[in-house]
Amino acid sequence: MKKIYFGSSEAPTDGKAPFWKPWGLGGWLLRLLGFLILLFVLGVLLSLFKSSRSNQTANADIPDQIINPVTPDPGRVPLPGDENFPHDIQNPGENLPQPGDNNIPPYDDDDITSDDGRQIVGDRLNVILDAADDQTFNQWADEFKALYPGDDYKVVYYDRMTQLLQVQIPQDERDQIMQALPTQITDISFYVFPEGLMGSLGYKPNDLVFDYPETSWYFEPIQAYDAWEITKGSPDVIIAICDSYFDLNHDDLNSDRIVKPYSVVRRTSDVKPASGCDETSFLHGSMVASQALGNMDNQRGTAGIAPGCKFMPVSMGHQMTSMTVLQGLLYAIYQGASVVNLSVGDVYDDAISRLSVEEQIQLSQTMSLAEQAVWDYVAEMARERNVTIVWAAGNENVFTALDAGKRGNATIKVSAVDTQLHKAEFSNFGNFEEYGLVESTISAPGVDILGAKPYNTYDIGPGTSFAAPIVTGAVALMKSIDPTLSTAEIIEILQATGKPIEGDATIGKLLQIKDALLMVKNNFANFDDIMSDHEKFVGLWRSTTLQEITTNGQPTGKKCRCYYDITSTQGGSAFIYATDTQKDYSTTLNIEWKPNEIVLKEMGNKTNPTDNTYSFVPLTGVCTADSANILKCKLTDANGTSTTIHLRKVTHRQD
C-alpha cells in the first residue's frame, strides 16, 4: 500500500510534489469534504434501496391483497367504550397507595437482576391473597409495615379485583424477606413471589428470513378444513387472549364477538397501545388473536381456528412481568373465559441455553419454587371454574419447565413445528420418557404463520407464540361441542389423537383438530340406539352443560358437573361433582321407559354423607331425540325451573 505523507520532513524524495499542491491545502480540504458528503448521500440512498428490496423479498409470496392496507369494512362494529373497572378499595389505610397513586411503578434497567439465570425486577415482591376483602388488604399492609417500618419498605400497588399486591424492598434483602414473610404474617393466607420479567414469545419484525410459498400451508396438516365442517365454534365459548396490545379496529378482529376487553395497565377497557410503545408489542397481540379466532368469510386476510367463539382481549402492556401476566390471567378467569391463551414466558440469560438438558432439568426442580406455588394455586382456581390455560412453550430451544408457570399437567404447553412438520429449531421442548417427564403437551405449526398486523394489514411470523393460539382455537372448538370438558380430558384427547413428530419425541404430538372433535362428539347418546337396546344406556354419562354453583341465589364462580351412573336399565344414581370441594353429592335414580321418551327421576336431594357444603335439589328429566337424533334431556326441579342438557358417555372420571 502506498503511503501518503502530510509532513515535509517525511515527504517522498522522488521529485514529485505532494498530492495537495495543485489546489493548495485549503482547496484540497474542501474537495475532500465534498467527496465525503457525496459518499454519505449515496450510502443513505443505497441503504433505503436495500431496505426496500429486503422487505419486498421477505413478503414476495404474500398476495398484495393481504399485505397491503385495505379500505375498512363499512359495517364494522363500534369499539367498546372506555369502561372503568373496580380496582381501589373504598377506604385504603395509610399503608396502601391512595386512589390516583395506585399504579404499578415502571422498572428501570438498573432494577433488573438475575436469579438462577432468570431475569427479575430485583427490588420488588408480589403477593397474592386468598379470598381477601377490603379489610384484609389493609390488615396485610399494616402488618407488613409493622415488620418493616423503614421508608425503603412499602406497598406500592394493589389490585382489589385480582387480589394482588406489590411491595418494594431493598434489592439485597429480597430473598430473605420472601422467605420470612409467610412465617411473620400468619393470620392471613397468601403467597409471595418475585417479580419476574416476561416477554412475548414470537415475532421479531426485522428478523423475518423465511420464504412464504403458501400463506395457508398450516391449516391442512392440523385438519382445520375438516374440523370446520364439524364446528366453527360456539358463541357460548369465550377465548381470552392475554397479550400486549390489540388493534380492535382491524377487519379480522372487529366484530360483535368482542366481550369484556380489559387493560391491566390502564384498568379500563382501552386495549390499544400506550404512546411511544414499540411496534412489536402492538403487533404481537393482534397477530395472536387473529390466529386463534380471527373473522372468517369476510374476504380479507386470514381466518382464526375458532371464528365463531367470543373474544376477550386482555392487554398486559409492553412491560410484561409476573404481576401483569397474573393480573391478566386472573381477570380472564374471574370474568368467565373458557380458554385463555398466554403467548408469553420467562426471560433468561444466554447462559441457560448453554446448559446441558440434564442440567436444565435439574435446575427446573430447584428454581422459582415460590412462583411455582403461585402458578399451581392459579391453575387450581382455573380448574374450579373449568378454565383451560394454554401456554406458548417458548423460543429459546430449552427445557419448557424452566418456566415456573409451565410445569405439571394442569395447563397445556404448546411447542412449534416448521413447514416440514419437524420440531422448529427455536422451539422449547419437554418430553423425556427416561425421566418420566411430559412438559410439552402438544405441538402446532409455528413457522410462517399469517396473522393480522395493526392498521388493517397482515404479516407472517415465527414462534411458539403463533403455535399456541392455533391450539387455543382447537380447545375452544372442543368446548363448543362439550363445554364441560376439563383440562385433563382435553389433554388426554389431544394426545390420543395427535400425530407423533418425526424424528423428535421431545415435543408433543402434532395437533389433529378433526380427530379430536370426533372423539368428543362420537360418545354422545344416540336416542334410537338406546330405545332399541336399553342395555346401551347402562354406563357412566355426563351432562355436556356445565352448571354454576349458586349460594342463596348468588353465583359463586365455582362450577359443577352432573353425572348419571346407570347400573341397570331400571336406574342407578345421579350425582353432582363440585369442583371446589372435589366431592360428589348423590341420590338414587329411577328410570321409566315410555314409547318415545325416557324419564329420569331423582329420588331426593343430592348430598354427601361427610360434607354438608352443598345440598342439590332433586330433578326430573324427560329425554327425547333432538334434530340430529341425539338424546336430549329437559331437567325440571320442584319449582318448575328447567334446563336442557345432552349426555356424553365417559369411561372414567376426569375432574
Side-chain angles (χ1 to χ4, degrees):
M1 179 180 292
K2 183 178 179 180
K3 293 183 179 180
I4 298 177
Y5 296 89
F6 288 90
S8 58
S9 62
E10 294 187 54
T13 57
D14 56 4
K16 296 180 180 180
F19 74 95
W20 47 268
K21 281 288 185 180
W23 310 297
L25 181 58
W28 174 81
L29 289 174
L30 286 173
R31 284 167 173 78
L32 176 61
L33 180 60
F35 177 72
L36 291 175
I37 292 174
L38 179 61
L39 281 179
F40 175 77
V41 172
L42 288 173
V44 170
L45 291 174
L46 181 60
S47 173
L48 291 174
F49 175 75
K50 285 183 175 179
S51 175
S52 173
R53 293 292 297 171
S54 174
N55 288 335
Q56 291 173 14
T57 300
N59 294 324
D61 296 305
I62 306 178
D64 287 342
Q65 63 266 33
I66 292 181
I67 62 172
N68 291 333
V70 295
T71 304
D73 181 355
R76 67 172 55 249
V77 177
L79 293 179
D82 188 13
E83 180 183 355
N84 285 287
F85 292 86
H87 161 72
D88 301 312
I89 64 177
Q90 292 185 354
N91 297 300
E94 61 179 355
N95 293 318
L96 286 175
Q98 299 303 300
D101 298 325
N102 188 23
N103 301 287
I104 299 177
Y107 60 82
D108 298 322
D109 290 343
D110 293 341
D111 300 327
I112 300 173
T113 186
S114 181
D115 183 22
D116 287 330
R118 180 188 172 221
Q119 295 182 19
I120 63 173
V121 183
D123 64 345
R124 311 280 176 86
L125 286 174
N126 297 323
V127 173
I128 182 170
L129 300 175
D130 185 7
D133 55 18
D134 291 3
Q135 181 181 350
T136 309
F137 274 86
N138 278 315
Q139 181 182 345
W140 196 96
D142 292 345
E143 293 190 32
F144 173 77
K145 198 60 181 175
L147 290 165
Y148 302 96
D151 293 339
D152 292 337
Y153 311 85
K154 56 187 174 183
V155 177
V156 293
Y157 175 74
Y158 72 91
D159 187 346
R160 177 67 182 84
M161 186 167 61
T162 54
Q163 305 195 27
L164 288 162
L165 290 157
Q166 186 170 96
V167 298
Q168 192 164 347
I169 38 84
Q171 187 169 144
D172 58 356
E173 297 179 36
R174 182 191 68 252
D175 292 340
Q176 176 185 345
I177 293 175
M178 185 173 71
Q179 297 298 324
L181 275 175
T183 65
Q184 295 171 324
I185 302 177
T186 58
D187 53 345
I188 300 174
S189 178
F190 67 94
Y191 293 88
V192 59
F193 55 100
E195 176 74 318
L197 291 187
M198 293 193 173
S200 300
L201 298 177
Y203 188 80
K204 297 180 180 179
N206 296 322
D207 197 32
L208 293 175
V209 295
F210 302 97
D211 294 327
Y212 311 111
E214 298 285 342
T215 58
S216 58
W217 73 269
Y218 47 93
F219 291 115
E220 186 172 353
I222 59 172
Q223 303 179 330
Y225 300 114
D226 293 331
W228 289 329
E229 292 292 328
I230 300 172
T231 180
K232 295 182 177 71
S234 166
D236 294 329
V237 173
I238 300 175
I239 300 175
I241 306 293
C242 297
D243 215 286
S244 49
Y245 299 101
F246 303 92
D247 181 3
L248 298 186
N249 267 317
H250 197 290
D251 285 338
D252 263 359
L253 296 179
N254 182 272
S255 78
D256 58 4
R257 296 182 294 122
I258 297 172
V259 296
K260 300 181 180 179
Y262 181 63
S263 166
V264 166
V265 177
R266 295 185 177 97
R267 302 189 295 276
T268 72
S269 59
D270 183 2
V271 297
K272 65 179 180 292
S275 176
C277 164
D278 62 282
E279 181 184 357
T280 303
S281 293
F282 192 11
L283 181 148
H284 194 271
S286 302
M287 286 192 72
V288 168
S290 69
Q291 289 152 0
L293 46 70
N295 293 333
M296 180 181 280
D297 296 325
N298 62 353
Q299 299 181 341
R300 299 170 188 267
T302 184
I305 299 298
C309 295
K310 292 285 180 61
F311 170 29
M312 183 189 292
V314 182
S315 168
M316 303 184 297
H318 59 278
Q319 278 195 344
M320 284 189 281
T321 63
S322 303
M323 173 65 82
T324 55
V325 172
L326 270 170
Q327 283 188 291
L329 175 57
L330 287 169
Y331 173 83
I333 291 173
Y334 289 143
Q335 296 300 317
S338 308
V339 55
V340 182
N341 188 95
L342 288 167
S343 288
V344 300
D346 283 346
V347 177
Y348 300 105
D349 297 339
D350 291 340
I352 292 291
S353 62
R354 294 193 289 268
L355 296 176
S356 68
V357 171
E358 289 76 13
E359 290 172 319
Q360 292 177 31
I361 291 173
Q362 291 175 3
L363 185 59
S364 73
Q365 296 168 350
T366 58
M367 71 182 295
S368 304
L369 297 184
E371 284 168 281
Q372 181 179 339
V374 171
W375 288 115
D376 289 346
Y377 169 73
V378 173
E380 175 61 18
M381 292 174 57
R383 187 196 66 80
E384 290 179 0
R385 291 160 173 79
N386 205 48
V387 182
T388 299
I389 300 170
V390 179
W391 288 96
N395 301 334
E396 292 81 19
N397 192 28
V398 297
F399 184 52
T400 299
L402 286 168
D403 191 325
K406 303 171 187 176
R407 296 173 186 166
N409 57 6
T411 63
I412 295 173
K413 288 91 66 178
V414 183
S415 297
V417 299
D418 59 22
T419 57
Q420 302 303 309
L421 305 182
H422 298 152
K423 175 186 174 296
E425 60 181 3
F426 56 78
S427 178
N428 287 1
F429 49 84
N431 299 347
F432 295 93
E433 186 177 355
E434 63 271 30
Y435 299 122
L437 294 171
V438 182
E439 299 291 1
S440 171
T441 311
I442 195 75
S443 296
V447 172
D448 296 358
I449 307 300
L450 187 68
K453 186 178 180 180
Y455 309 116
N456 228 32
T457 186
Y458 300 84
D459 216 331
I460 285 177
T464 58
S465 273
F466 306 142
I470 292 173
V471 173
T472 293
V475 171
L477 295 184
M478 295 168 69
K479 286 196 166 188
S480 295
I481 296 175
D482 182 356
T484 67
L485 286 171
S486 67
T487 298
E489 286 179 306
I490 290 169
I491 290 173
E492 185 177 295
I493 293 169
L494 292 177
Q495 292 178 339
T497 57
K499 271 188 178 180
I501 304 300
E502 182 180 346
D504 199 322
T506 65
I507 63 174
K509 295 178 180 179
L510 179 64
L511 174 70
Q512 300 292 285
I513 308 177
K514 178 203 71 175
D515 292 345
L517 296 182
L518 289 177
M519 182 171 282
V520 175
K521 188 176 181 180
N522 286 345
N523 286 324
F524 277 64
N526 183 280
F527 184 76
D528 284 349
D529 287 349
I530 290 173
M531 292 301 288
S532 62
D533 183 357
H534 294 181
E535 289 291 338
K536 290 184 177 179
F537 204 31
V538 174
L540 182 63
W541 299 87
R542 191 177 73 199
S543 164
T544 59
T545 302
L546 194 68
Q547 304 289 340
E548 183 170 13
I549 298 175
T550 59
T551 301
N552 298 323
Q554 297 299 314
T556 64
K558 309 296 176 63
K559 306 293 183 180
C560 64
R561 293 186 174 86
C562 305
Y563 287 87
Y564 292 110
D565 187 8
I566 298 174
T567 55
S568 76
T569 59
Q570 301 305 306
S573 63
F575 64 94
I576 284 179
Y577 175 84
T579 57
D580 56 341
T581 63
Q582 300 187 46
K583 294 183 181 299
D584 293 332
Y585 303 83
S586 63
T587 188
T588 303
L589 177 73
N590 285 349
I591 301 176
E592 181 182 354
W593 298 89
K594 294 187 176 182
N596 294 307
E597 63 185 30
I598 308 168
V599 179
L600 309 177
K601 188 172 181 60
E602 299 176 6
M603 304 310 293
N605 284 356
K606 294 179 282 291
T607 59
N608 183 290
T610 63
D611 182 89
N612 61 2
T613 304
Y614 301 116
S615 177
F616 297 94
V617 298
L619 303 171
T620 297
V622 177
C623 303
T624 57
D626 68 7
S627 59
N629 203 41
I630 301 299
L631 187 79
K632 68 174 181 180
C633 300
K634 183 178 181 181
L635 305 179
T636 307
D637 63 20
N639 295 321
T641 304
S642 63
T643 184
T644 299
I645 66 170
H646 287 86
L647 296 176
R648 187 168 70 87
K649 200 165 195 177
V650 292
T651 58
H652 57 282
R653 295 275 298 278
Q654 281 279 20
D655 300 313

